[in-house]
Coordinates of all heavy atoms in Angstrom, one line a residue:
M1 N 4.4 -21.3 -52.1 CA 4.7 -21.1 -50.8 C 3.6 -21.8 -49.8 O 2.4 -21.7 -50.0 CB 4.8 -19.6 -50.4 CG 5.8 -19.0 -51.2 SD 7.5 -19.5 -50.7 CE 7.6 -18.7 -49.0
T2 N 4.2 -22.4 -48.8 CA 3.2 -22.9 -47.8 C 3.2 -22.0 -46.5 O 4.3 -21.5 -46.2 CB 3.7 -24.4 -47.3 OG1 5.0 -24.3 -46.9 CG2 3.6 -25.3 -48.5
E3 N 2.1 -21.8 -46.0 CA 2.0 -21.0 -44.9 C 2.2 -21.7 -43.6 O 2.0 -22.9 -43.6 CB 0.5 -20.3 -44.8 CG 0.3 -19.3 -45.9 CD -1.0 -18.6 -45.6 OE1 -1.4 -18.6 -44.4 OE2 -1.4 -17.8 -46.4
P4 N 2.8 -21.1 -42.7 CA 3.0 -21.8 -41.4 C 1.6 -22.1 -40.7 O 0.7 -21.5 -41.0 CB 3.7 -20.7 -40.5 CG 3.5 -19.4 -41.1 CD 3.2 -19.7 -42.6
R5 N 1.6 -23.3 -40.1 CA 0.4 -23.8 -39.5 C 0.0 -22.8 -38.3 O 0.9 -22.4 -37.5 CB 0.6 -25.2 -38.9 CG 0.8 -26.3 -40.0 CD 0.8 -27.6 -39.4 NE 1.2 -28.5 -40.3 CZ 1.4 -29.8 -40.1 NH1 1.0 -30.3 -39.0 NH2 1.7 -30.6 -41.1
R6 N -1.2 -22.4 -38.4 CA -1.7 -21.5 -37.3 C -2.5 -22.1 -36.3 O -2.8 -21.6 -35.3 CB -2.5 -20.3 -38.0 CG -1.6 -19.5 -38.8 CD -2.3 -18.4 -39.5 NE -1.5 -17.5 -40.3 CZ -1.9 -16.9 -41.3 NH1 -3.2 -16.9 -41.8 NH2 -1.1 -16.2 -42.0
G7 N -3.0 -23.3 -36.5 CA -3.9 -24.0 -35.7 C -3.3 -24.4 -34.3 O -4.0 -24.3 -33.3
L8 N -2.2 -25.0 -34.5 CA -1.5 -25.5 -33.2 C -0.5 -24.5 -32.6 O 0.6 -24.4 -33.0 CB -0.8 -26.7 -33.5 CG -1.7 -28.0 -33.6 CD1 -0.9 -29.2 -33.9 CD2 -2.4 -28.2 -32.3
T9 N -1.0 -23.8 -31.6 CA -0.2 -22.9 -30.9 C 0.4 -23.6 -29.7 O -0.2 -24.6 -29.4 CB -0.9 -21.6 -30.4 OG1 -1.9 -22.0 -29.5 CG2 -1.6 -20.9 -31.5
P10 N 1.6 -23.2 -29.1 CA 2.0 -23.9 -27.9 C 0.8 -24.0 -26.9 O 0.8 -24.9 -26.2 CB 3.1 -23.0 -27.5 CG 3.6 -22.3 -28.7 CD 2.3 -22.1 -29.6
E11 N -0.1 -22.9 -26.8 CA -1.1 -23.0 -25.8 C -2.0 -24.1 -26.1 O -2.5 -24.8 -25.2 CB -1.8 -21.6 -25.9 CG -1.1 -20.5 -25.2 CD 0.0 -19.9 -26.1 OE1 -0.1 -20.2 -27.4 OE2 0.9 -19.2 -25.7
T12 N -2.3 -24.2 -27.3 CA -3.2 -25.3 -27.7 C -2.6 -26.7 -27.4 O -3.4 -27.6 -26.8 CB -3.5 -25.4 -29.2 OG1 -4.0 -24.1 -29.6 CG2 -4.5 -26.4 -29.7
I13 N -1.3 -26.9 -27.7 CA -0.7 -28.2 -27.4 C -0.7 -28.4 -25.9 O -1.0 -29.5 -25.4 CB 0.7 -28.2 -28.0 CG1 0.6 -28.2 -29.5 CG2 1.5 -29.4 -27.6 CD1 1.9 -27.9 -30.2
D14 N -0.5 -27.4 -25.1 CA -0.4 -27.5 -23.7 C -1.8 -28.0 -23.2 O -2.0 -29.0 -22.4 CB -0.1 -26.2 -23.0 CG 1.3 -26.0 -22.9 OD1 2.2 -26.9 -23.2 OD2 1.8 -24.8 -22.5
S15 N -2.8 -27.4 -23.6 CA -4.2 -27.7 -23.2 C -4.5 -29.1 -23.6 O -5.2 -29.8 -22.9 CB -5.3 -26.7 -23.8 OG -5.4 -27.0 -25.2
L16 N -4.1 -29.5 -24.8 CA -4.3 -31.0 -25.2 C -3.7 -31.9 -24.2 O -4.2 -32.9 -23.9 CB -3.9 -31.2 -26.7 CG -4.7 -30.6 -27.7 CD1 -4.0 -30.7 -29.0 CD2 -6.1 -31.2 -27.6
L17 N -2.4 -31.6 -23.9 CA -1.7 -32.5 -23.1 C -2.2 -32.5 -21.6 O -2.3 -33.6 -21.0 CB -0.2 -32.0 -23.0 CG 0.6 -32.2 -24.2 CD1 2.1 -31.6 -24.0 CD2 0.6 -33.7 -24.6
V18 N -2.8 -31.4 -21.2 CA -3.5 -31.3 -19.9 C -4.7 -32.2 -19.9 O -5.0 -33.0 -19.1 CB -3.9 -30.0 -19.5 CG1 -4.8 -30.0 -18.2 CG2 -2.5 -29.2 -19.1
D19 N -5.5 -32.1 -21.0 CA -6.7 -32.8 -21.1 C -6.5 -34.3 -21.1 O -7.4 -35.0 -20.7 CB -7.4 -32.5 -22.4 CG -8.2 -31.2 -22.3 OD1 -8.4 -30.7 -21.2 OD2 -8.6 -30.6 -23.3
T20 N -5.4 -34.8 -21.7 CA -5.2 -36.2 -21.9 C -4.3 -36.8 -20.8 O -3.9 -37.9 -20.9 CB -4.7 -36.5 -23.2 OG1 -3.6 -35.8 -23.5 CG2 -5.7 -36.2 -24.3
S21 N -3.9 -36.0 -19.8 CA -3.1 -36.5 -18.8 C -3.9 -37.6 -17.9 O -5.1 -37.4 -17.6 CB -2.7 -35.4 -17.7 OG -2.1 -35.8 -16.7
P22 N -3.3 -38.7 -17.5 CA -1.9 -39.1 -17.8 C -1.7 -39.5 -19.2 O -2.4 -40.4 -19.7 CB -1.7 -40.3 -16.7 CG -3.0 -40.8 -16.6 CD -4.1 -39.7 -16.8
Y23 N -0.6 -38.8 -19.8 CA -0.6 -39.0 -21.3 C 0.6 -40.0 -21.5 O 1.8 -39.8 -21.1 CB -0.2 -37.7 -21.9 CG -0.3 -37.7 -23.4 CD1 -1.5 -37.7 -23.9 CD2 0.8 -37.8 -24.1 CE1 -1.7 -37.7 -25.3 CE2 0.8 -37.8 -25.5 CZ -0.5 -37.7 -26.1 OH -0.6 -37.8 -27.5
L24 N 0.3 -41.0 -22.2 CA 1.4 -42.0 -22.7 C 1.9 -41.6 -24.0 O 1.2 -41.0 -24.9 CB 0.7 -43.4 -22.8 CG 0.2 -44.0 -21.5 CD1 -0.4 -45.3 -21.9 CD2 1.3 -44.2 -20.6
S25 N 3.1 -41.9 -24.2 CA 3.7 -41.7 -25.6 C 3.3 -43.0 -26.4 O 2.8 -44.0 -25.8 CB 5.2 -41.7 -25.6 OG 5.8 -43.0 -25.2
C26 N 3.4 -43.0 -27.8 CA 3.0 -44.1 -28.6 C 3.9 -45.3 -28.1 O 3.4 -46.5 -28.1 CB 3.2 -43.8 -30.0 SG 1.9 -42.8 -30.6
D27 N 5.2 -45.1 -27.8 CA 6.1 -46.2 -27.4 C 5.5 -46.9 -26.1 O 5.4 -48.0 -26.0 CB 7.5 -45.7 -27.1 CG 8.3 -45.5 -28.4 OD1 7.8 -46.0 -29.4 OD2 9.3 -44.9 -28.3
D28 N 5.1 -45.9 -25.2 CA 4.6 -46.5 -23.8 C 3.3 -47.4 -24.2 O 3.0 -48.3 -23.7 CB 4.2 -45.3 -22.9 CG 5.5 -44.7 -22.4 OD1 6.5 -45.4 -22.4 OD2 5.3 -43.6 -22.0
C29 N 2.4 -46.7 -25.0 CA 1.1 -47.2 -25.4 C 1.3 -48.6 -26.1 O 0.8 -49.6 -25.7 CB 0.4 -46.4 -26.4 SG -1.2 -47.0 -26.9
F30 N 2.3 -48.8 -27.0 CA 2.5 -50.1 -27.7 C 3.1 -51.1 -26.7 O 2.8 -52.3 -26.7 CB 3.6 -49.8 -28.8 CG 2.9 -49.7 -30.1 CD1 2.5 -48.4 -30.6 CD2 2.7 -50.7 -31.0 CE1 1.7 -48.3 -31.7 CE2 2.0 -50.6 -32.2 CZ 1.5 -49.3 -32.6
A31 N 3.9 -50.6 -25.7 CA 4.5 -51.6 -24.8 C 3.5 -52.1 -23.9 O 3.5 -53.3 -23.4 CB 5.5 -50.8 -23.8
L32 N 2.4 -51.4 -23.6 CA 1.2 -51.8 -22.8 C 0.1 -52.5 -23.6 O -0.8 -53.0 -23.0 CB 0.6 -50.7 -22.0 CG 1.7 -50.0 -21.0 CD1 1.1 -48.8 -20.5 CD2 2.0 -51.0 -19.8
M33 N 0.2 -52.4 -24.9 CA -1.0 -52.7 -25.8 C -1.4 -54.2 -25.6 O -2.5 -54.4 -25.4 CB -0.6 -52.5 -27.2 CG -1.7 -52.8 -28.2 SD -2.9 -51.4 -28.3 CE -2.0 -50.2 -29.2
D34 N -0.6 -55.1 -25.7 CA -0.9 -56.5 -25.6 C -1.6 -56.8 -24.3 O -2.6 -57.5 -24.3 CB 0.4 -57.3 -25.8 CG 0.8 -57.5 -27.1 OD1 0.1 -57.1 -28.1 OD2 1.9 -58.0 -27.4
Q35 N -1.0 -56.3 -23.3 CA -1.5 -56.5 -21.9 C -2.9 -55.9 -21.8 O -3.9 -56.5 -21.3 CB -0.6 -55.9 -20.9 CG -0.9 -56.3 -19.4 CD 0.0 -55.6 -18.4 OE1 0.8 -54.8 -18.9 NE2 -0.1 -56.0 -17.1
Y36 N -3.0 -54.7 -22.3 CA -4.2 -54.0 -22.2 C -5.4 -54.7 -23.0 O -6.5 -54.9 -22.5 CB -4.0 -52.5 -22.8 CG -5.4 -51.7 -22.9 CD1 -6.0 -51.2 -21.8 CD2 -5.9 -51.5 -24.2 CE1 -7.1 -50.5 -21.9 CE2 -7.1 -50.7 -24.2 CZ -7.6 -50.3 -23.1 OH -8.8 -49.5 -23.2
V37 N -5.1 -55.1 -24.2 CA -6.2 -55.7 -25.0 C -6.6 -57.1 -24.5 O -7.8 -57.4 -24.5 CB -5.9 -55.9 -26.5 CG1 -5.7 -54.6 -27.1 CG2 -4.7 -56.7 -26.6
E38 N -5.7 -57.7 -23.8 CA -6.0 -59.0 -23.1 C -7.0 -58.8 -21.9 O -7.8 -59.6 -21.7 CB -4.7 -59.8 -22.7 CG -4.0 -60.5 -23.8 CD -2.8 -61.2 -23.4 OE1 -2.6 -61.5 -22.3 OE2 -2.0 -61.6 -24.3
Q39 N -6.6 -57.7 -21.1 CA -7.4 -57.5 -20.0 C -8.8 -57.0 -20.4 O -9.8 -57.4 -19.9 CB -6.7 -56.4 -19.2 CG -5.6 -56.8 -18.4 CD -4.9 -55.8 -17.6 OE1 -4.8 -54.7 -18.1 NE2 -4.2 -56.2 -16.5
V40 N -8.9 -56.2 -21.4 CA -10.2 -55.7 -21.9 C -11.0 -56.8 -22.6 O -12.2 -56.9 -22.3 CB -10.0 -54.6 -23.0 CG1 -11.4 -54.3 -23.7 CG2 -9.4 -53.3 -22.4
S41 N -10.3 -57.8 -23.2 CA -10.9 -58.9 -23.8 C -11.4 -59.8 -22.7 O -12.6 -60.4 -22.8 CB -9.9 -59.7 -24.8 OG -10.7 -60.7 -25.4
A42 N -10.7 -60.1 -21.7 CA -11.1 -61.0 -20.6 C -12.2 -60.3 -19.7 O -13.1 -61.0 -19.2 CB -9.8 -61.4 -19.7
T43 N -12.1 -59.0 -19.5 CA -12.9 -58.3 -18.7 C -13.4 -57.0 -19.3 O -12.7 -55.9 -19.3 CB -12.2 -57.8 -17.3 OG1 -11.5 -59.0 -16.8 CG2 -13.2 -57.3 -16.4
P44 N -14.5 -57.0 -20.1 CA -14.9 -55.9 -20.9 C -15.1 -54.6 -20.1 O -14.9 -53.5 -20.7 CB -16.2 -56.3 -21.4 CG -16.2 -57.9 -21.5 CD -15.3 -58.3 -20.2
S45 N -15.3 -54.7 -18.8 CA -15.5 -53.5 -18.0 C -14.1 -52.9 -17.5 O -14.1 -51.9 -16.9 CB -16.3 -53.8 -16.8 OG -15.7 -54.8 -15.9
H46 N -13.1 -53.6 -17.9 CA -11.7 -53.2 -17.5 C -11.5 -51.8 -18.0 O -11.8 -51.5 -19.1 CB -10.6 -54.1 -18.1 CG -9.2 -53.7 -17.8 ND1 -8.6 -53.7 -16.7 CD2 -8.4 -53.0 -18.6 CE1 -7.3 -53.2 -16.7 NE2 -7.2 -52.8 -17.9
E47 N -10.9 -50.9 -17.2 CA -10.7 -49.6 -17.6 C -9.2 -49.3 -17.3 O -8.8 -49.5 -16.2 CB -11.6 -48.6 -17.0 CG -13.0 -48.5 -17.6 CD -13.8 -47.5 -16.9 OE1 -13.3 -46.7 -16.2 OE2 -15.0 -47.6 -17.1
D48 N -8.5 -48.5 -18.2 CA -7.2 -48.0 -17.9 C -7.1 -46.6 -18.4 O -7.1 -46.3 -19.6 CB -6.1 -48.9 -18.7 CG -4.7 -48.5 -18.4 OD1 -4.5 -47.3 -18.2 OD2 -3.9 -49.4 -18.4
P49 N -7.3 -45.6 -17.4 CA -7.4 -44.3 -17.9 C -6.3 -43.8 -18.8 O -6.5 -43.1 -19.7 CB -7.4 -43.6 -16.5 CG -7.9 -44.5 -15.6 CD -7.4 -45.9 -16.0
A50 N -5.1 -44.2 -18.5 CA -3.9 -43.7 -19.3 C -4.0 -44.2 -20.7 O -3.8 -43.6 -21.6 CB -2.6 -44.2 -18.6
M51 N -4.4 -45.5 -20.9 CA -4.4 -46.1 -22.2 C -5.7 -45.5 -23.0 O -5.6 -45.1 -24.1 CB -4.7 -47.7 -22.2 CG -3.4 -48.4 -21.8 SD -2.2 -48.3 -23.2 CE -2.9 -49.4 -24.4
A52 N -6.8 -45.3 -22.2 CA -8.1 -44.8 -22.8 C -7.7 -43.3 -23.3 O -8.2 -42.9 -24.4 CB -9.2 -44.8 -21.8
A53 N -7.0 -42.6 -22.4 CA -6.7 -41.2 -22.9 C -5.8 -41.2 -24.1 O -6.1 -40.3 -25.0 CB -6.1 -40.5 -21.7
H54 N -4.9 -42.0 -24.2 CA -4.1 -42.1 -25.4 C -4.8 -42.6 -26.6 O -4.7 -42.0 -27.6 CB -2.8 -43.0 -25.1 CG -1.9 -43.0 -26.3 ND1 -0.8 -42.1 -26.4 CD2 -1.8 -43.8 -27.4 CE1 -0.2 -42.3 -27.6 NE2 -0.7 -43.3 -28.2
L55 N -5.6 -43.6 -26.5 CA -6.4 -44.2 -27.6 C -7.3 -43.2 -28.1 O -7.6 -43.1 -29.3 CB -7.1 -45.5 -27.2 CG -6.0 -46.6 -26.8 CD1 -6.8 -47.9 -26.4 CD2 -5.1 -47.0 -27.9
A56 N -7.9 -42.3 -27.1 CA -8.8 -41.4 -27.6 C -8.3 -40.3 -28.5 O -8.9 -39.8 -29.3 CB -9.5 -40.7 -26.4
G57 N -6.9 -40.0 -28.2 CA -6.3 -39.0 -29.0 C -5.3 -39.4 -30.0 O -4.8 -38.7 -30.7
C58 N -5.1 -40.7 -30.2 CA -4.2 -41.2 -31.1 C -4.8 -42.3 -32.0 O -5.0 -43.4 -31.7 CB -2.9 -41.8 -30.4 SG -1.7 -42.5 -31.6
G59 N -5.2 -41.9 -33.2 CA -5.9 -42.9 -34.2 C -5.0 -44.0 -34.5 O -5.5 -45.2 -34.6
A60 N -3.8 -43.9 -34.7 CA -2.9 -45.1 -35.0 C -2.9 -46.2 -33.9 O -3.1 -47.3 -34.2 CB -1.5 -44.6 -35.3
C61 N -2.8 -45.8 -32.7 CA -2.9 -46.7 -31.6 C -4.3 -47.3 -31.4 O -4.4 -48.4 -31.0 CB -2.3 -46.1 -30.3 SG -0.5 -45.8 -30.4
A62 N -5.3 -46.4 -31.5 CA -6.6 -46.9 -31.4 C -7.0 -48.0 -32.4 O -7.6 -49.0 -32.1 CB -7.6 -45.7 -31.5
E63 N -6.5 -47.7 -33.7 CA -6.7 -48.7 -34.7 C -6.0 -50.0 -34.4 O -6.5 -51.1 -34.6 CB -6.1 -48.1 -36.0 CG -6.3 -49.1 -37.2 CD -7.7 -49.2 -37.7 OE1 -8.5 -48.3 -37.3 OE2 -8.2 -50.3 -38.2
E64 N -4.8 -49.8 -33.9 CA -4.0 -51.0 -33.5 C -4.8 -51.9 -32.4 O -4.9 -53.1 -32.4 CB -2.6 -50.6 -32.9 CG -1.7 -51.8 -32.6 CD -1.2 -52.6 -33.7 OE1 -1.3 -52.2 -34.9 OE2 -0.6 -53.7 -33.4
A65 N -5.2 -51.1 -31.3 CA -6.0 -51.8 -30.3 C -7.2 -52.5 -30.9 O -7.5 -53.6 -30.4 CB -6.3 -50.8 -29.2
R66 N -8.0 -51.8 -31.7 CA -9.1 -52.4 -32.3 C -8.8 -53.7 -32.9 O -9.6 -54.7 -32.8 CB -9.8 -51.4 -33.2 CG -11.2 -51.6 -33.4 CD -12.0 -50.3 -34.0 NE -11.4 -49.9 -35.2 CZ -11.6 -50.3 -36.4 NH1 -12.7 -51.2 -36.5 NH2 -11.1 -49.9 -37.4
T67 N -7.8 -53.6 -33.8 CA -7.5 -54.8 -34.6 C -7.1 -56.0 -33.6 O -7.6 -57.0 -33.9 CB -6.3 -54.5 -35.5 OG1 -6.6 -53.4 -36.4 CG2 -5.8 -55.7 -36.3
L68 N -6.3 -55.7 -32.6 CA -5.9 -56.7 -31.7 C -7.0 -57.3 -30.9 O -7.3 -58.5 -30.7 CB -5.0 -56.2 -30.6 CG -3.5 -56.0 -31.2 CD1 -2.6 -55.3 -30.1 CD2 -2.8 -57.3 -31.6
L69 N -8.1 -56.4 -30.6 CA -9.3 -56.8 -29.9 C -10.1 -57.8 -30.8 O -10.8 -58.7 -30.4 CB -10.1 -55.7 -29.4 CG -9.7 -55.0 -28.0 CD1 -10.3 -53.7 -27.8 CD2 -9.9 -56.0 -26.9
E70 N -10.1 -57.4 -32.1 CA -11.0 -58.2 -33.0 C -10.3 -59.6 -33.1 O -11.0 -60.6 -33.2 CB -11.1 -57.5 -34.4 CG -12.0 -56.4 -34.3 CD -12.0 -55.6 -35.6 OE1 -11.3 -56.1 -36.5 OE2 -12.8 -54.6 -35.7
L71 N -9.1 -59.6 -33.2 CA -8.3 -60.8 -33.3 C -8.6 -61.7 -32.0 O -8.9 -63.0 -32.2 CB -6.8 -60.7 -33.5 CG -6.4 -60.2 -34.8 CD1 -4.9 -59.9 -34.8 CD2 -6.6 -61.2 -35.9
L72 N -8.5 -61.1 -30.9 CA -8.8 -61.8 -29.6 C -10.3 -62.3 -29.7 O -10.5 -63.4 -29.3 CB -8.5 -61.0 -28.4 CG -7.1 -60.8 -28.1 CD1 -7.0 -59.8 -26.8 CD2 -6.5 -62.2 -27.6
A73 N -11.1 -61.5 -30.1 CA -12.6 -61.8 -30.1 C -12.8 -63.1 -31.0 O -13.6 -64.0 -30.7 CB -13.4 -60.8 -30.6
Q74 N -12.1 -63.1 -32.2 CA -12.1 -64.2 -33.1 C -11.6 -65.5 -32.5 O -12.1 -66.5 -32.6 CB -11.4 -63.9 -34.3 CG -12.2 -62.9 -35.2 CD -11.4 -62.3 -36.4 OE1 -10.3 -62.9 -36.7 NE2 -11.9 -61.3 -36.9
D75 N -10.5 -65.3 -31.7 CA -9.9 -66.5 -31.1 C -10.9 -67.1 -30.2 O -11.0 -68.4 -29.9 CB -8.6 -66.1 -30.4 CG -7.4 -66.1 -31.3 OD1 -7.6 -66.5 -32.4 OD2 -6.3 -65.8 -30.8
A76 N -11.6 -66.2 -29.4 CA -12.5 -66.7 -28.3 C -13.8 -67.4 -29.0 O -14.4 -68.0 -28.3 CB -12.9 -65.5 -27.4
G77 N -14.0 -67.1 -30.3 CA -15.1 -67.7 -31.0 C -16.3 -66.8 -30.8 O -17.3 -67.2 -30.8
Ligands
ZN1 ZN1 -0.2 -43.6 -30.1

């Protein structure tokens, strides 16, 4: 038997969502990803709070962004 998960209560999820507001979905994040990494690559000081918040909380998108940034960095030599 598996026990129900006890770590994530609705209250916990609410607090996570509040912490990461403005919160993008992964679809939103992926839609903005190319543009975002190009801007960061061209301007390292570029900041996008919504993207940063999502990437901080979403390992899959953070990995994708890192991979794209590495590819851009290689292109730039
Ligand atoms: Zn994501």
Side-chain angles (χ1 to χ4, degrees):
M1 294 293 286
T2 57
E3 293 197 9
R5 294 185 190 185
R6 289 175 182 158
L8 277 180
T9 64
E11 288 79 12
T12 303
I13 293 169
D14 276 351
S15 72
L16 287 173
L17 290 176
V18 168
D19 276 348
T20 53
S21 175
Y23 194 80
L24 297 173
S25 70
C26 284
D27 280 349
D28 291 337
C29 183
F30 265 84
L32 296 169
M33 182 80 72
D34 283 350
Q35 189 183 9
Y36 173 72
V37 295
E38 277 179 23
Q39 285 175 330
V40 170
S41 182
T43 310
S45 62
H46 174 77
E47 287 184 10
D48 187 324
M51 285 293 285
H54 184 88
L55 296 179
C58 181
C61 290
E63 180 68 27
E64 179 73 12
R66 198 163 58 87
T67 300
L68 288 172
L69 278 171
E70 283 174 2
L71 287 174
L72 282 175
Q74 285 168 14
D75 276 355

